[in-house]
Amino acid sequence: MSQIKIFDTTLRDGEQSPGCSMNLKEKIEVAKCLERLKVDVIEAGFAISSPGDFESVHTISQAVKECTVASLARSTEKDIDCAWEAVKDAADPRIHLFIATSPVHMEYKLKMSPEQVLERTAAMVAYAKKYCSNIEFSAEDATRSDLEFLYKVVDLAIRNGATVINLPDTVGYTTPAEMQSMIASVIANVPDSDKAEFSVHCHNDLGMAVANSLAGVLGGARQIECTINGLGERAGNTSLEEVVMAMRTRPDVFSDTFTRIDATQIYRSSKTVYNIIGQTAPLNKPIVGRNAFLHESGIHQHGVLSNKKTYEILTPESVGVRVNNIVLGKHSGKHALETRLKELGYDLSAEELLRCFEEFKVLCDKKKDVTDADLEAIVTHSATEESETTDGYKLDWFAVHTSNFTTATCTVSLKYGDQKFEDVSLGDGPVDAAFQAIDNIVKPVEHTFELYRINSVAQGKDTLGEVSVKLTAGNRTYSGRGLSTDIIEASILAYISAINKLRAATEKAGQEKEA
């Protein structure tokens, strides 16, 4: 059996896509999810791109013990030095350097001749090799590169110490047949190709990232670079959950291959990432979308009731979606909650369990029955709350007055440490009034709203409401999430969460500027 390694770049390629930025604590939370998921490599960031990126790569390198941790670097000594400083404390550090190899990139972006690219490749791979043995080299825009030139680049990279060769479809241009042929051709025509693992990194501009990655495996690639939920620049990257479950569901096609991914952690990881970036899965998103395992057509329902295999090629349980909706209520104790959470795949620490139990009891006072969907929302919300700054503003209480013939009014009381602040404001509806009152207290830097979204966690009129908010200031986006049976309260909690992140980033930028 041949292992297909899963290289996850959610924290690098995924996080740098518009609207998906994360702070340090959120990145660590995602890294923990990836470690539980048992990915082989976590690309923790692009260390030289900013002090914040360096800090996150360095911190994740120290925190993660079960995965290789990599940092991206351009083919320059300065980038490679920075990447090594960031990952050197990892259990298994990797430097991932790249240089463009397509004619259009070499001429217009690099302004280098093919000969100069060959020289730079050899020199920089050798330079990186002095730091560690685990070196990945990427030929950026490989699918639009001249094949004969690609052979030369890859040959030089391997001869100078690269242990992984990545041939990316950087702009989502190629097709599955072309990808399979390219991988097979490079392996066949580079003399020492057996000394390196080959990898694919596909973008989804034409909707073929997953198909192209799978084709790369058929061509001989033994590493797939992907992201949770397919996040990434432009139309995104290869979706981890889709490519892993495709291989697992079709062993007849991908014979004698396996991944070490714990698929039962897929749904949890997906939910965590969506919560952090303030998004929800599209209803028809494969594997993790709400409709992925629902059947409305009468013909489909009849078939599924007779035999699930008629219309289900994989089970919800296989990816961590639980369909047996055991209900807990106000008389359920902490042990019952802990038992049910373990059945749902959540093994919490004593501190995490206590925090979730407190939220659970509050919810029990607001609704009669608490479902699995409610419990999962509590756990993921609690983890996200814990990952956020602890010294920000917190909601004390609020009161609203609104009707269809008067202007809405909201009074908000916030706590900041031992201090309390109150303000009252008018607005175009209770949510706007609440946000205005919060702004009057916090006085955040100027920002714009990118998103305000309300979702129900489960069925029923008393279900938890989940509000996502995204704010933009400068060139960064700050997301917040609130959870409550009261949609006004959920909105206030989401806005405070986003505002706290905005304040923390503003203060940090000011400190760095002074330094």
Side-chain angles (χ1 to χ4, degrees):
M1 294 283 282
S2 178
Q3 182 183 0
I4 307 301
K5 293 182 178 178
I6 300 300
F7 175 114
D8 185 277
T9 185
T10 303
L11 294 171
R12 201 277 299 170
D13 208 333
E15 194 265 347
Q16 71 186 34
S17 58
C20 297
S21 60
M22 308 176 197
N23 62 32
L24 175 59
K25 291 183 179 179
E26 290 168 338
K27 289 181 180 182
I28 293 171
E29 181 65 26
V30 172
K32 289 178 181 177
C33 279
L34 297 174
E35 193 171 25
R36 283 192 297 265
L37 194 57
K38 296 185 178 178
V39 304
D40 298 282
V41 185
I42 297 174
E43 187 167 52
F46 192 172
I48 203 169
S49 63
S50 71
D53 248 41
F54 179 90
E55 182 185 9
S56 64
V57 175
H58 186 245
T59 305
I60 290 167
S61 296
Q62 295 174 316
V64 170
K65 303 302 180 187
E66 304 297 325
C67 312
T68 296
V69 177
S71 173
L72 189 67
R74 291 166 298 193
S75 290
T76 68
E77 291 183 1
K78 185 178 179 181
D79 273 40
I80 293 167
D81 291 342
C82 186
W84 173 245
E85 283 299 313
V87 300
K88 65 181 181 180
D89 293 331
D92 181 21
R94 174 182 293 187
I95 297 174
H96 178 195
L97 66 154
F98 71 97
I99 193 167
T101 56
S102 67
V104 65
H105 274 238
M106 289 189 290
E107 180 179 356
Y108 293 102
K109 187 181 78 171
L110 298 181
K111 301 189 185 306
M112 294 171 66
S113 68
E115 291 72 24
Q116 288 174 313
V117 168
L118 290 172
E119 291 173 7
R120 180 71 63 84
T121 297
M124 290 303 100
V125 172
Y127 184 81
K129 195 70 174 181
K130 75 176 186 178
Y131 284 125
C132 65
S133 60
N134 194 342
I135 303 297
E136 177 169 343
F137 172 78
S138 286
E140 186 185 10
D141 207 19
T143 56
R144 294 195 295 172
S145 300
D146 175 76
L147 204 52
E148 293 294 330
F149 180 67
L150 204 55
Y151 299 157
K152 295 177 183 178
V153 173
V154 172
D155 179 51
L156 280 172
I158 293 174
R159 284 201 279 123
N160 283 277
T163 51
V164 180
I165 298 295
N166 180 39
L167 302 177
D169 186 24
T170 303
V171 292
Y173 173 77
T174 200
T175 64
E178 291 172 319
M179 175 61 82
Q180 182 175 348
S181 175
M182 181 188 71
I183 297 291
S185 296
V186 173
I187 292 174
N189 287 279
V190 172
D192 293 326
S193 61
D194 59 327
K195 294 181 180 178
E197 287 183 329
F198 281 77
S199 177
V200 286
H201 176 118
C202 300
H203 280 260
N204 205 38
D205 298 71
L206 296 177
M208 291 187 283
V210 170
N212 285 332
S213 296
L214 294 170
V217 170
L218 295 177
R222 288 299 174 262
Q223 177 179 278
I224 297 174
E225 305 195 1
C226 46
T227 62
I228 300 294
N229 302 324
L231 296 182
E233 293 189 273
R234 303 183 311 279
N237 287 38
T238 299
S239 166
L240 181 149
E241 58 276 9
E242 293 175 31
V243 79
V244 166
M245 294 312 295
M247 285 190 290
R248 190 160 298 191
T249 305
R250 294 300 306 275
D252 54 322
V253 176
F254 303 97
S255 58
D256 298 323
T257 64
F258 71 97
T259 73
R260 72 173 198 138
I261 293 295
D262 179 358
T264 62
Q265 293 291 323
I266 283 177
Y267 183 72
R268 178 181 181 180
S269 301
S270 169
K271 189 80 172 171
T272 298
V273 171
Y274 273 133
N275 286 341
I276 286 174
I277 65 172
Q279 295 183 16
T280 56
L283 293 177
N284 63 338
K285 173 78 168 69
I287 315 299
V288 296
R290 183 174 291 185
N291 289 353
F293 299 102
L294 297 181
H295 307 278
E296 184 170 332
S297 162
I299 295 174
H300 286 208
Q301 289 173 344
H302 179 266
V304 169
L305 290 172
S306 300
N307 186 325
K308 285 189 174 183
K309 291 184 178 179
T310 54
Y311 287 102
E312 285 187 4
I313 58 173
L314 64 156
T315 66
E317 293 84 359
S318 68
V319 295
V321 177
R322 311 295 171 173
V323 293
N324 51 327
N325 223 18
I326 294 176
V327 175
L328 299 178
K330 64 188 300 182
H331 300 296
S332 301
K334 186 163 65 174
H335 179 70
L337 176 65
E338 181 180 20
T339 300
R340 186 60 193 140
L341 288 176
K342 283 184 176 179
E343 291 172 354
L344 292 171
Y346 298 98
D347 191 8
L348 306 182
S349 67
E351 183 182 353
E352 291 169 332
L353 178 62
L354 179 60
R355 192 167 59 249
C356 289
F357 184 66
E358 291 172 351
E359 290 193 37
F360 166 72
K361 296 304 282 186
V362 171
L363 181 59
C364 287
D365 288 333
K366 296 180 179 179
K367 61 179 297 190
K368 182 180 178 182
D369 297 325
V370 179
T371 66
D372 287 349
D374 294 323
L375 295 180
E376 289 180 337
I378 287 173
V379 173
T380 54
H381 179 254
S382 181
T384 305
E385 284 276 294
E386 180 65 15
S387 72
E388 292 177 6
T389 179
T390 56
D391 60 356
Y393 286 90
K394 297 182 183 297
L395 176 64
D396 183 23
W397 58 265
F398 73 96
V400 296
H401 179 271
T402 187
S403 72
N404 64 345
F405 58 87
T406 59
T407 302
T409 307
C410 183
T411 304
V412 174
S413 174
L414 301 182
K415 292 186 291 185
Y416 188 88
D418 295 329
Q419 297 177 286
K420 288 187 178 181
F421 304 89
E422 291 182 16
D423 198 87
V424 61
S425 183
L426 304 175
D428 296 327
V431 172
D432 182 53
F435 290 1
Q436 295 273 15
I438 293 168
D439 283 347
N440 291 342
I441 295 171
V442 179
K443 297 179 174 58
V445 298
E446 187 175 345
H447 59 274
T448 58
F449 268 87
E450 292 294 319
L451 174 77
Y452 172 77
R453 178 190 289 131
I454 303 172
N455 292 296
S456 62
V457 167
Q459 296 178 339
K461 63 182 181 181
D462 63 346
T463 186
L464 281 169
E466 184 180 60
V467 173
S468 298
V469 167
K470 280 190 179 183
L471 311 176
T472 296
N475 60 351
R476 287 186 61 86
T477 301
Y478 305 89
S479 60
R481 178 172 174 259
L483 195 67
S484 175
T485 53
D486 183 328
I487 207 62
I488 306 300
E489 182 179 20
S491 301
I492 291 172
L493 293 172
Y495 189 55
I496 292 173
S497 173
I499 285 292
N500 278 333
K501 293 176 187 177
L502 173 58
R503 285 185 63 258
T506 303
E507 290 175 3
K508 186 175 181 180
Q511 292 167 358
E512 290 175 352
K513 190 174 181 180
E514 289 177 6

